[in-house]
């Protein structure tokens, strides 16, 4: 996308945001969730709050970020604060602009700060919880965003492929995780997108087994679930390997998860409800007799955050649309034996979905 087109696409979002404010009967909205701020204004710093009004968007930053914000940001007027807190600066701005009805992100405004705003603002100012205002825009990715996600997903997959030959009995989960994270950074990741999961043997039955001091032994499953962040966008992938010679049951759960995972990718398409996508994976695992061993949802949206809407679970009613980017990650976990999970990132296309994660998924014993 050229510079002009990108600016147009962004400007469209700004208009959509103002329309959403009007529809909600608001003349302002308070945005403090940093991924939302990054999405709207391209600000990458760690502290800022934004006040959206029908005329103009304001970004309040402190003196540390004055220079950086001036370089990075767009579509907003910068308010540099010094000697006052974000909330004090906000109160001043709200009073000056004579705003009356202000939405706020109820998931991200601490009660402490809410209390301050309530006390300091005139009682005529209404504060109204307003969720998903920016998230609703973020849920559909632009081609530029999809390109960034593809890039970080490929980087992550390449690093995983380079790790496979290090997996052998005697190495600790922690050493594998450290090496993995080191390689991600070397290849250009800004940071990991969440704490790296390396879970071997009995620990692989814990869906979120953060890497521990456990030593990898012969005849064990080992689950790697990890991701990186680059240009603000996240990746998330899971592969499960086997060290040694697998039992029949291990092969059976692996093949079941792989079948559930690929079946879901083959049939996922726009117009489906998230719970129907979940059903694609879950029905196969249930038929194999492991329904009660698959406790989590089948996937989640991914973008500026590693977990973001839409969530793909048993009761999720949201409808998948072209341009959404989600994970597909069924698993089976047998206490005492181990667990298997396989996870790709896919982008919903006009007719189905395209898998972005290039790493092989066939059973691999090392
Ligand atoms: Zn994952
Ligand atoms: Zn995931």
């Amino acid at each position: 996308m050229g510079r002009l087109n990108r600016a147009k696409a962004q400007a469209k979002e700004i208009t959509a945001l103002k329309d959403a404010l009007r529809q909600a009967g608001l003349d302002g909205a308070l945005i403090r969730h940093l991924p939302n701020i990054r999405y709207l204004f391209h600000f990458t710093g760690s502290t800022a709050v934004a006040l959206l009004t029908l005329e103009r968007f304001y970004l309040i930053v402190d003196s540390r970020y004055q220079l950086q914000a001036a370089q990075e940001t767009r579509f907003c007027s910068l308010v540099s604060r010094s000697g006052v807190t974000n909330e004090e600066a906000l109160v001043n701005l709200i009073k000056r602009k004579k705003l009356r009805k202000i939405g706020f992100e109820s998931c991200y405004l601490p009660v402490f700060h809410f209390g301050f705003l309530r006390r300091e603002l005139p009682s005529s100012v209404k504060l109204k919880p307003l969720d998903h205002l920016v998230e609703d825009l973020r849920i559909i990715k632009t081609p530029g965003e999809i390109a960034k996600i593809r890039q970080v997903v490929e980087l992550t997959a390449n690093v995983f492929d380079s790790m496979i030959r290090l997996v052998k009995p005697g190495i600790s989960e922690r050493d594998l995780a450290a090496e993995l994270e080191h390689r991600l950074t070397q290849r250009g990741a800004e940071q990991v997108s969440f704490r790296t999961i390396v879970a071997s043997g009995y620990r692989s039955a814990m869906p979120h087994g953060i890497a521990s001091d456990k030593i990898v032994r012969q005849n064990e499953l080992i689950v790697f679930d990890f991701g990186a962040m680059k240009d603000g966008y996240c990746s998330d992938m899971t592969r499960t390997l086997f060290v040694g010679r697998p039992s029949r049951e291990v092969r059976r759960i692996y093949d079941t998860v792989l079948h559930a995972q690929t079946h879901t990718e083959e049939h996922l398409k726009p117009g489906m409800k998230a719970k129907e996508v979940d059903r694609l994976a879950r029905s196969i695992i249930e038929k194999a007799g492991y329904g009660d061993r698959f406790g989590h949802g089948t996937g989640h949206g991914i973008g500026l955050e590693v977990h973001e809407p839409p969530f793909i679970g048993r009761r999720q009613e949201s409808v998948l649309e072209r341009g959404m980017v989600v994970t597909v990650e069924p698993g089976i976990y047998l206490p005492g034996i181990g667990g298997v999970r396989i996870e790709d990132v896919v982008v919903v296309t006009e007719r189905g979905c395209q898998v972005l994660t290039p790493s092989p998924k066939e059973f691999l014993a090392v």
Side-chain angles (χ1 to χ4, degrees), residues 284-313:
I284 285 171
I285 291 176
E286 281 171 0
K287 257 181 243 155
Y290 296 109
D292 56 342
R293 299 294 176 202
F294 173 29
H296 56 78
T298 294
H300 52 85
I302 183 165
L304 286 169
E305 288 176 276
V306 68
H307 298 121
E308 60 180 47
F311 293 97
I312 302 176

Side-chain angles (χ1 to χ4, degrees), residues 167-177 196-225 239-243 250 333-341 366:
V167 181
K168 47 179 79 124
I171 193 165
S172 75
E173 293 171 355
R174 203 184 295 285
D175 282 345
L176 283 169
T196 299
I197 292 170
V198 178
S200 61
Y202 70 93
R203 294 191 75 250
S204 63
M206 300 185 242
H208 271 198
I210 302 295
S212 76
D213 287 327
K214 182 186 171 302
I215 304 291
V216 177
R217 306 243 172 254
Q218 192 67 16
N219 297 330
E220 283 187 343
L221 283 160
I222 176 163
V223 174
F224 289 84
D225 183 356
R239 287 294 182 272
T240 303
L241 304 176
F242 193 82
V243 183
V250 162
Y333 311 92
L334 304 181
I337 294 174
V340 173
R341 181 168 63 260
V366 294

Side-chain angles (χ1 to χ4, degrees), residues 21-214:
L21 281 185
R22 263 187 223 103
Q23 267 172 25
L26 301 169
D27 54 11
L30 174 55
I31 303 295
R32 44 180 299 143
H33 187 44
L34 284 169
N36 287 341
I37 287 178
R38 181 160 186 165
Y39 178 78
L40 292 175
F41 309 123
H42 294 187
F43 177 66
T44 64
S46 63
T47 319
V49 292
L51 180 69
L52 315 183
T53 75
L54 295 174
E55 287 81 46
R56 209 182 264 251
F57 295 170
Y58 299 91
L59 186 67
I60 300 172
V61 296
D62 65 56
S63 54
R64 291 172 303 163
Y65 285 123
Q66 207 173 344
L67 214 64
Q68 182 183 331
Q71 277 175 10
E72 286 178 342
T73 59
R74 53 194 73 198
F75 302 122
C76 60
S77 307
L78 289 176
V79 179
S80 180
R81 67 171 169 90
S82 68
V84 293
T85 64
N86 277 334
E87 283 65 36
E88 286 166 334
L90 266 174
V91 166
N92 293 339
L93 197 54
I94 291 169
K95 284 182 178 166
R96 212 166 63 228
K97 297 292 154 195
K98 300 191 170 54
L99 301 178
R100 289 308 184 84
K101 268 188 136 182
I102 301 165
F104 65 90
E105 301 160 297
S106 58
C107 290
Y108 303 110
L109 182 64
V111 174
F112 177 79
H113 292 316
F114 177 82
F116 178 83
L117 294 174
R118 192 55 290 162
R119 268 196 318 278
E120 297 298 320
L121 286 169
S123 58
S124 57
V125 176
K126 300 269 175 289
L127 294 174
K128 192 181 157 194
L130 178 72
D131 288 319
H132 310 302
L133 179 72
V134 184
E135 282 81 355
D136 282 350
L137 294 178
R138 282 173 48 197
I139 200 166
I140 305 283
K141 272 65 182 175
T142 63
E145 289 185 289
I146 292 170
K148 283 182 182 169
I149 296 171
R150 183 192 295 275
Q151 205 183 25
V152 67
V153 164
E154 287 177 358
L155 179 158
T156 307
N158 289 340
V159 166
F160 178 73
D161 296 346
S162 80
M163 287 293 299
I164 294 175
R165 51 191 200 82
L166 300 186
V167 181
K168 47 179 79 124
I171 193 165
S172 75
E173 293 171 355
R174 203 184 295 285
D175 282 345
L176 283 169
E179 182 60 27
L180 181 73
E181 292 180 3
H182 175 63
R183 291 184 182 192
L184 288 171
T185 310
Q186 264 184 332
R187 303 222 188 158
E190 288 151 16
Q191 59 180 81
V192 293
S193 52
F194 59 95
R195 284 187 74 187
T196 299
I197 292 170
V198 178
S200 61
Y202 70 93
R203 294 191 75 250
S204 63
M206 300 185 242
H208 271 198
I210 302 295
S212 76
D213 287 327
K214 182 186 171 302

